[in-house]
Amino acid sequence: MNTINTSIVTPNGTVYEGDVHMISVHATAGDMGILPNHIPVVAPLKISAVKLKHEGTEEYVAVSGGFIEVRRGSTVTIITEAAEKKEDIDVERAQRAKEAAQEKLSGLNEKTAAYAEAEKELQRAENRLQVASL
Amino acid sequence: MASLRDIKGKINSTKKTRKITKAMQMVSAAKLNRAQMQATAYHSYTDKLREVVGNIASANKGSLRHPMLQTRPVKKTGYLILTAERGLAGAYNNNVIKRVNQMIKERHKSSDEYTVIVIGRMGFNHFRHRDVTIAAEKLGLPDQPSFDDVKEIAKLAVGMFEDQEIDELFMIYNHFKSAISQEVRDVKLLPLADVETSSETATYEYEPDAEEVLETLLPLYAEGLIYGALLDAKAAEHAARMTAMQSSTDNATELIDKYTLQYNRARQAAITQEISEIVGGASALQ
């Protein structure tokens, strides 16, 4: 059976590398499922979970934005500022980050750039928690 | 001539200094190792990023309209300066600062034509006391900076360009050539004029469209370049410090040898004097 050569790359190194059967991601334009021999595509991602399916097993990786690049010959690269595999997520730390972000949010005006920044932080923390609980 | 005690004291204090410089040299060597490893791990990220950006740029030659790709008349220039937190690294910081001052002198007539963004305390302390507007600074970066440490200042620099506060952005830093040589580099970061184009151009579909993709891609790319330069500069810093400490250790050894020679001479002179005094005293009694 065909597989997709997948790598998830961050500034701090490669988080995931391997062959999978199917990838599903949440792009800003909508959810995408990628199977082998997909047409080359580039799409920005939401702060969300990436699902990597390999035979019977499923793996989840939390990514904070970035984008996915699908190349001819079933090669997929996800480039993002930060990514964590489900089993590597520190739930306690994510919980703390979530609380810190919520606290920051409550003290900020909705229209400032700092508010948007804090909101993103909250999303990232929530995303990590959600992926950890999958 | 200095007394025996004085020379002994000098020898001891030089020995202590040598111990410190030797330790610093070894610490820097270990840090350099780690910095190099970090830089290699990062290469895969930047290479991928450059590939995709280059691909999109070459596939849509000329038709792309993104502010970060467009050259506009320059009213204000930004300089992003990467220096170290501490000195004791030879000419490391000085080289960067000298290059910046030279560039400013050549390119600008008045101080409202440019602004600087400084990373590292040494650069900050230099420019703080001069007729230069510091738009932002980032102090206290660790020796192994993570992307999160740098994200803030990188976003800010890129944001200033997007908001048209500055019309071009230069980055000045020390490039790590090898453990014994570093080279000052000034790189024009923005606008991204010459994105390298790869030879094989894959035609991509863009979701939702090319402009939207560039919107997220280009800032990521620019920030990535800044982080990459910082890792490069850190490796250079550790290398520079290692070399500087190596040569001061050598100097200390040389000094100690010189002082020991002096000490031995002084001791010999004292003994000779004592003997001649005894001989003199004995002959006076006869």
Side-chain angles (χ1 to χ4, degrees), chain A residues 82-103:
Chain A
E84 274 172 295
K85 278 201 249 186
K86 184 188 162 189
E87 57 268 28
D88 294 338
I89 293 174
D90 185 341
V91 177
E92 254 174 60
R93 212 188 69 148
Q95 191 70 43
R96 273 205 306 277
K98 184 185 165 183
E99 277 156 23
Q102 273 168 339
E103 202 170 302

Side-chain angles (χ1 to χ4, degrees), chain A residues 9-14 28-29 39-44 66-67 69-72 77 79-81 124, chain B residues 41-42 44-45 48-49 51-52 146-147 151 155 203-208 212-213 216-217 220 223 227:
Chain A
V9 195
T10 73
N12 297 324
T14 306
T28 49
I39 189 170
V41 69
V42 176
F67 60 95
E69 183 211 8
V70 183
R71 246 185 287 179
R72 207 172 288 289
T77 315
I79 302 177
T80 173
E81 280 176 20
R124 277 197 283 267
Chain B
Y42 179 69
S44 57
Y45 177 80
K48 287 270 182 214
L49 214 50
E51 225 178 276
V52 179
S146 74
F147 189 64
K151 209 161 68 182
K155 279 219 160 83
T203 35
Y204 286 105
E205 293 283 316
Y206 303 105
E207 281 291 339
E212 192 94 1
V213 170
T216 52
L217 198 55
L220 211 63
E223 284 158 28
Y227 181 61

Side-chain angles (χ1 to χ4, degrees), chain B residues 32-69:
Chain B
L32 170 64
N33 233 333
R34 261 187 289 164
Q36 271 181 293
M37 263 158 48
Q38 204 185 2
T40 340
Y42 179 69
H43 265 307
S44 57
Y45 177 80
T46 267
D47 287 349
K48 287 270 182 214
L49 214 50
R50 185 175 307 129
E51 225 178 276
V52 179
V53 172
N55 250 328
I56 297 180
S58 56
N60 303 276
K61 241 183 204 116
S63 63
L64 290 174
R65 302 232 175 281
H66 191 277
M68 280 171 79
L69 292 172

Side-chain angles (χ1 to χ4, degrees), chain A residues 56-79:
Chain A
T57 59
E58 284 174 358
E59 270 195 90
Y60 291 91
V61 179
V63 296
S64 59
F67 60 95
I68 183 169
E69 183 211 8
V70 183
R71 246 185 287 179
R72 207 172 288 289
S74 297
T75 316
V76 169
T77 315
I78 294 174
I79 302 177

Side-chain angles (χ1 to χ4, degrees), chain B residues 211-226:
Chain B
E211 253 127 76
E212 192 94 1
V213 170
L214 277 184
E215 200 70 41
T216 52
L217 198 55
L218 288 182
L220 211 63
Y221 180 57
E223 284 158 28
L225 286 181
I226 294 177

Side-chain angles (χ1 to χ4, degrees), chain B residues 184-233:
Chain B
V184 187
R185 275 200 179 165
D186 48 276
V187 181
K188 187 173 185 179
L189 196 63
L190 291 171
L192 295 162
D194 49 333
V195 180
E196 283 160 55
T197 46
S198 55
S199 50
E200 59 135 349
T201 43
T203 35
Y204 286 105
E205 293 283 316
Y206 303 105
E207 281 291 339
D209 52 43
E211 253 127 76
E212 192 94 1
V213 170
L214 277 184
E215 200 70 41
T216 52
L217 198 55
L218 288 182
L220 211 63
Y221 180 57
E223 284 158 28
L225 286 181
I226 294 177
Y227 181 61
L230 187 79
L231 289 183
D232 194 358

Side-chain angles (χ1 to χ4, degrees), chain A residues 25-32 43-46 48 68, chain B residues 207:
Chain A
V25 295
H26 303 280
T28 49
D31 294 0
M32 280 167 56
L45 298 179
K46 286 187 201 161
S48 59
I68 183 169
Chain B
E207 281 291 339

